[in-house]
């Protein structure tokens, strides 16, 4: 970060201005075509027949249930992943232990396997024909095709977001501050709360928000474990697919618009927080 | 290291949250809810029938019941029930899929004789949906195998409807003058050479044909064809009834193990029996399923044209088990005849 009133701006790129302009144009074009245009299409398709059918589609009991379910899943899986991701990142960045590289690789596993597999593993584990199926059935516990399965699949898919955001930052920050705190007699919790956490809070927030956006939007893994019971185990993305397949295009685009809006709000919150984070860091006097 | 207590605490916290989620998520059991696991094209029909049943059940027993449905490809839905989806009743596209559930012991082996008419309260058949004015002049099965015709059908390996499509064509070819298994193989190979894309389910194929405008003809359930026809206006498509087709009998069954555990047997049985009642039968006709009830069929007028229809129990097929083994298992006839991209 360049401090205001510090050294004069230094041009780091020596390319001719037209190269830069071309690059900017290209980026804007790609963003416009691939990101803005589809979002615009969703909005116009939804509003094709005015607001009334949009409101009707969103206040439909099945849609409301899907919205509630999606928010509930996010409300459970995001905190779990925040704590788990924080713990994992902390271990990896601050300690040396055997299997550290393996843990790092494991954290990235959900990014590299297909979401369908991320869903199927739970069916293989907890399904009636799965490893734990008979045991669970005897006790009348329903995991797959119910909320727990949906939560597990979402947690699995979105686990890397917090950890992946934190690990590089914590590694870069090193351990000297924590070691100093320990020497001065701080307890583990004090060190974490007063030394580690303040340094990573903005990255943590950004990871949490990304995690939340994906938790609400996940389709593949959730589709496998959902069972597609209307008004019960259909999340928003699944509900959108159902509406689309039932030729209710306005309804599908209305709910899709709402989901996109939720994601946009999340991203806007992230951008805002990052800005205020940067400002706060600027205001802090140099150590 | 000093830091570990905290990390242990966060792990414990994560475990606590997860545990709460698991405990709270176990579905509240009770007789107040009925889950019907069905296949794709019945969405509109069961939405209407659920409302009818809930009202009827309330009137007869005073109990408020909630009827929910789950829809998807027939084979995939059967798989979900096998994997533990708590269906009280299944209403699938073919007896074979219910047999698969019965094989796992969830449904009594003689389920098909428990309800009238092979446990199929309504029937359907396979028809052609063509572009307006039928520009390629497609009238019967033979026309579909001609060069230059693009046929849209889902994949018989994954879709119940697609198996009916395939078997109807197979039977037609055998019934032709000089028909033989060899002639039928040649016909099926030529037919599937004309298929540019195999979707996994019936609704997917309808979307491919109707929305993406692919293909000259869609092999469709009669009710799917009428639904697309009704949704997208009469200006775009025509429905062609071939001279010969297959009688599809989508069966229904109570999932014994689930209803006995959940205590929902009475409601589940009433739900299925109700499908044979006059009111449900005319509801089926409204949604373009052929009712079994002669009165409801007569009331539907010319909505369901008469045509010659073969059943799956014809010696040509020998029932679903044999048809499945001969045609659709891995290494079966379909695998040998279908050569994509040639």
């Amino acid at each position: 970060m360049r401090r205001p009133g510090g050294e004069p701006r230094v041009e780091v790129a020596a390319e001719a201005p037209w190269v830069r302009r071309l690059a900017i144009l290209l980026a804007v074009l790609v963003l416009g075509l691939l990101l803005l245009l589809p979002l615009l299409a969703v909005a116009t398709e939804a509003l094709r027949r005015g607001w009334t059918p949009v409101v009707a589609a969103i206040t439909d009991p099945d849609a409301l249930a899907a919205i509630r379910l999606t928010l509930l899943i996010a409300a459970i899986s995001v905190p779990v992943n925040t704590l788990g991701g924080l713990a994992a990142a902390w271990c990896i960045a601050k300690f040396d232990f055997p299997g550290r590289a393996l843990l790092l690789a494991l954290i990235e596993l959900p990014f590299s396997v297909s979401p369908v597999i991320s869903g199927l593993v739970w069916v293989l584990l907890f399904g009636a024909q799965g490893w734990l199926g008979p045991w669970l059935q005897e006790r009348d516990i329903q995991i797959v095709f119910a909320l727990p399965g949906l939560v597990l699949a979402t947690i699995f898919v979105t686990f890397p977001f917090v950890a992946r955001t934190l690990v590089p930052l914590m590694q870069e920050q090193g351990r000297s501050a924590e070691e100093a705190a320990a020497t001065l007699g701080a307890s583990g919790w004090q060190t974490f709360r007063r030394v580690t956490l303040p340094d990573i809070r903005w990255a943590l927030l950004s990871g949490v928000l990304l995690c939340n956006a994906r938790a609400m939007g996940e389709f593949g893994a959730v589709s496998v474990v959902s069972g597609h019971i209307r008004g019960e185990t259909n999340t928003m993305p699944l509900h959108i697919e159902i509406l689309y397949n039932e030729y209710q295009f306005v309804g599908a685009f209305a709910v899709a618009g709402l989901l996109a809006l939720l994601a946009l709000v999340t991203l806007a919150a992230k951008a805002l927080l990052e800005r205020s984070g940067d400002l706060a860091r600027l205001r802090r006097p140099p150590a | 290291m000093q830091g570990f207590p905290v990390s242990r605490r966060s792990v414990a916290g994560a475990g606590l949250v997860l545990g709460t989620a698991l405990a709270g998520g176990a579905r509240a059991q009770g007789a107040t809810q009925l889950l019907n696991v069905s296949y794709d094209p019945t969405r509109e029909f069961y939405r209407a029938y659920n409302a009818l049943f809930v009202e009827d059940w309330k009137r007869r027993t005073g109990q408020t019941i909630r009827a929910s449905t789950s829809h998807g490809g027939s084979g995939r839905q059967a798989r979900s029930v096998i994997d533990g989806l708590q269906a009280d009743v299944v209403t699938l596209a073919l007896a074979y899929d219910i047999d698969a559930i019965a094989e796992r012991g969830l449904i009594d082996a003689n389920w098909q004789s428990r309800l009238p008419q092979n446990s199929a309260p309504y029937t359907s058949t396979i028809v052609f949906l063509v572009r307006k004015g039928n520009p390629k002049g497609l009238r019967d099965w033979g026309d579909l195998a001609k060069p230059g015709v693009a046929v849209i059908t889902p994949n018989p390996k994954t879709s119940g409807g697609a198996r009916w499509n395939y078997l109807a064509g197979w039977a037609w070819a055998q019934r032709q003058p000089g028909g033989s298994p060899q002639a039928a193989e040649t016909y099926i190979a030529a037919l599937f050479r004309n298929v540019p894309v195999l979707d996994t389910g019936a609704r997917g194929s309808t979307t491919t044909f109707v929305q993406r405008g692919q293909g000259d003809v869609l092999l469709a359930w009669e009710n799917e064809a009428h639904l697309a026809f009704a949704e997208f206006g009469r200006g775009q498509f025509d429905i062609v009834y071939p001279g010969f087709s297959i009688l599809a009998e989508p069966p229904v069954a109570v999932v014994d193990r689930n209803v006995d555990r959940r205590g929902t047997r009475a409601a589940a049985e009433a739900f299925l029996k109700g499908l044979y009642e006059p009111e449900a039968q005319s509801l089926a006709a409204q949604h373009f399923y052929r009712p079994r009830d002669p009165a409801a069929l007569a009331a539907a007028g010319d909505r369901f044209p008469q045509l010659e229809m073969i059943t799956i129990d014809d010696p040509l097929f020998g029932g679903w088990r044999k048809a499945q083994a001969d045609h659709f298992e891995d290494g079966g006839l379909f695998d040998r005849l279908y050569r994509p991209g040639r």
Side-chain angles (χ1 to χ4, degrees):
Chain A
M1 180 61 48
R2 208 171 278 120
R3 297 218 165 83
E7 297 135 40
R9 277 170 73 96
V10 180
E11 292 292 344
V12 285
E15 281 83 10
W18 68 269
V19 176
R20 245 184 297 163
R21 260 179 236 131
L22 193 71
I24 292 170
L25 189 71
L26 208 68
V28 168
L29 219 62
V30 167
L31 279 176
L33 284 178
L34 296 181
L35 293 174
L36 286 178
L37 203 62
L39 282 176
L40 215 65
V42 166
T44 48
E45 284 290 328
L47 293 173
R48 178 167 290 219
R49 288 179 211 164
W51 281 99
T52 325
V54 172
V55 173
I58 290 172
T59 51
D60 172 81
D62 283 354
L64 285 178
I67 295 167
R68 256 199 309 274
L69 181 65
T70 297
L71 295 178
L72 178 63
I73 291 172
I76 297 170
S77 44
V78 171
V80 169
N81 276 343
T82 305
L83 293 173
L86 196 56
W90 201 45
C91 293
I92 288 170
K94 305 286 178 186
F95 307 104
D96 289 313
F97 54 92
R100 191 168 154 267
L102 183 72
L103 183 62
L104 200 56
L106 275 180
I107 285 172
E108 286 178 356
L109 187 72
F111 274 167
S112 46
V113 300
S114 153
V116 177
I117 298 167
S118 311
L120 267 181
V121 291
W122 302 110
V123 177
L124 293 176
L125 263 180
F126 298 122
Q129 310 289 314
W131 288 5
L132 300 172
W135 188 88
L136 289 168
Q137 277 210 321
E138 270 169 39
R139 280 149 193 82
D140 222 6
I141 301 173
Q142 185 79 16
I143 303 269
V144 285
F145 310 124
L147 179 67
L150 292 165
V151 170
L152 284 171
T154 306
I155 288 178
F156 185 88
V157 171
T158 55
F159 184 76
F161 285 96
V162 172
R164 275 313 300 168
T165 334
L166 290 183
V167 167
L169 178 70
M170 288 173 95
Q171 272 177 333
E172 192 196 335
Q173 287 172 345
R175 307 170 192 173
S176 43
E178 277 89 353
E179 277 162 7
T183 330
L184 294 172
S187 75
W189 176 238
Q190 279 175 323
T191 311
F192 178 76
R193 211 165 54 85
R194 300 254 180 98
V195 180
T196 312
L197 203 55
D199 273 345
I200 58 162
R201 58 185 164 179
W202 302 114
L204 180 63
L205 262 172
S206 123
V208 167
L209 291 173
L210 276 178
C211 176
N212 180 54
R214 178 66 189 269
M216 291 193 299
E218 174 59 21
F219 178 84
V222 160
S223 169
V224 176
V225 296
S226 146
H228 304 275
I229 308 170
R230 279 156 193 251
E232 259 176 69
T233 62
N234 271 323
T235 62
M236 281 173 85
L238 300 178
H239 188 66
I240 292 165
E241 193 209 20
I242 284 180
L243 290 177
Y244 186 77
N245 279 341
E246 284 180 357
Y247 309 124
Q248 301 184 37
F249 300 116
V250 169
F253 284 110
V255 181
L258 184 64
L259 184 61
L261 211 63
L262 282 175
L264 284 180
V265 166
T266 306
L267 287 180
K270 173 177 178 288
L272 269 177
L273 283 169
E274 271 172 357
R275 248 177 77 108
S276 58
D278 285 345
L279 288 178
R281 219 173 306 160
L282 286 180
R283 280 196 209 101
R284 212 191 311 166
Chain B
M1 207 11 112
Q2 287 188 343
F4 270 113
V6 181
S7 104
R8 212 182 291 144
R9 207 181 296 174
S10 14
V11 171
L16 193 71
V17 176
L18 192 62
T20 323
L22 296 184
R27 189 137 70 99
Q29 309 288 325
T32 51
Q33 185 172 24
L34 207 59
L35 174 59
N36 170 16
V37 171
S38 194
Y39 63 114
D40 259 331
T42 58
R43 298 160 188 257
E44 292 78 10
F45 168 63
Y46 276 111
R47 180 175 301 143
Y49 178 69
N50 281 352
L52 187 71
F53 175 75
V54 166
E55 209 174 288
D56 189 51
W57 185 254
K58 173 101 184 163
R59 202 168 44 235
R60 282 193 301 169
T61 67
Q63 288 175 1
T64 305
I65 199 164
R66 223 161 76 79
S68 350
T69 46
S70 161
H71 297 275
S74 188
R76 184 180 166 194
Q77 293 291 80
R79 184 72 236 179
S80 291
V81 173
I82 290 168
D83 280 332
L85 182 57
Q86 296 292 302
D88 297 290
V89 299
V90 284
T91 56
L92 297 178
L94 355 143
Y96 181 79
D97 289 327
I98 298 188
D99 277 336
I101 305 171
E103 264 167 40
R104 264 59 169 210
L106 274 76
I107 298 177
D108 193 272
N110 69 0
W111 62 270
Q112 202 157 15
S113 57
R114 292 195 298 197
L115 285 167
Q117 284 163 313
N118 284 333
S119 287
Y122 40 80
T123 67
S124 192
T125 190
I126 301 300
V127 301
F128 304 165
L129 190 67
V130 297
R131 305 275 168 213
K132 182 73 190 166
N134 198 0
K136 299 252 169 140
L138 308 169
R139 301 261 163 258
D140 214 338
W141 291 92
D143 300 328
L144 305 183
K146 286 180 181 159
V149 176
V151 182
I152 304 294
T153 169
N155 189 345
K157 305 284 272 192
T158 54
S159 153
R163 286 177 215 170
W164 294 110
N165 295 346
Y166 167 106
L167 292 174
W170 170 264
W172 175 86
Q174 291 241 36
R175 292 273 181 103
Q176 294 313 294
S180 65
Q182 284 72 39
E185 284 186 25
T186 314
Y187 169 74
I188 290 287
L191 172 64
F192 277 89
R193 257 200 303 279
N194 282 345
V195 178
V197 50
L198 284 176
D199 284 292
T200 54
R203 203 39 80 84
S205 278
T206 309
T207 312
T208 299
F209 182 78
V210 168
Q211 293 250 238
R212 300 195 198 114
Q214 289 219 39
D216 302 308
V217 52
L218 171 74
L219 302 186
W221 291 102
E222 186 177 31
N223 61 300
E224 280 283 289
H226 279 282
L227 189 68
F229 196 66
E231 280 299 323
F232 294 95
R234 279 128 211 279
Q236 292 196 44
F237 308 104
D238 284 328
I239 296 176
V240 173
Y241 279 84
F244 169 91
S245 192
I246 194 162
L247 180 72
E249 299 182 292
V252 301
V254 166
V255 185
D256 295 285
R257 194 186 285 172
N258 292 349
V259 294
D260 286 342
R261 214 187 38 234
R262 288 160 39 73
T264 48
R265 179 174 284 279
E269 283 177 350
F271 184 85
L272 294 187
K273 284 214 185 80
L275 289 169
Y276 293 87
E277 303 290 330
E279 226 176 327
Q281 288 282 300
S282 57
L283 203 61
Q286 274 171 39
H287 288 88
F288 302 99
Y289 283 95
R290 294 183 174 225
R292 294 284 201 179
D293 180 27
L297 190 60
D302 57 358
R303 173 169 277 213
F304 302 112
Q306 290 292 316
L307 70 162
E308 190 195 349
M309 289 185 279
I310 191 174
T311 73
I312 190 69
D313 293 317
D314 190 277
L316 209 52
F317 304 122
W320 264 117
R321 258 166 227 269
K322 187 169 170 344
Q324 175 77 22
D326 290 351
H327 295 276
F328 308 119
E329 290 295 322
D330 285 336
L333 205 52
F334 176 72
D335 278 346
R336 280 190 282 127
L337 295 178
Y338 179 57
R339 297 262 184 281
R342 272 188 212 174

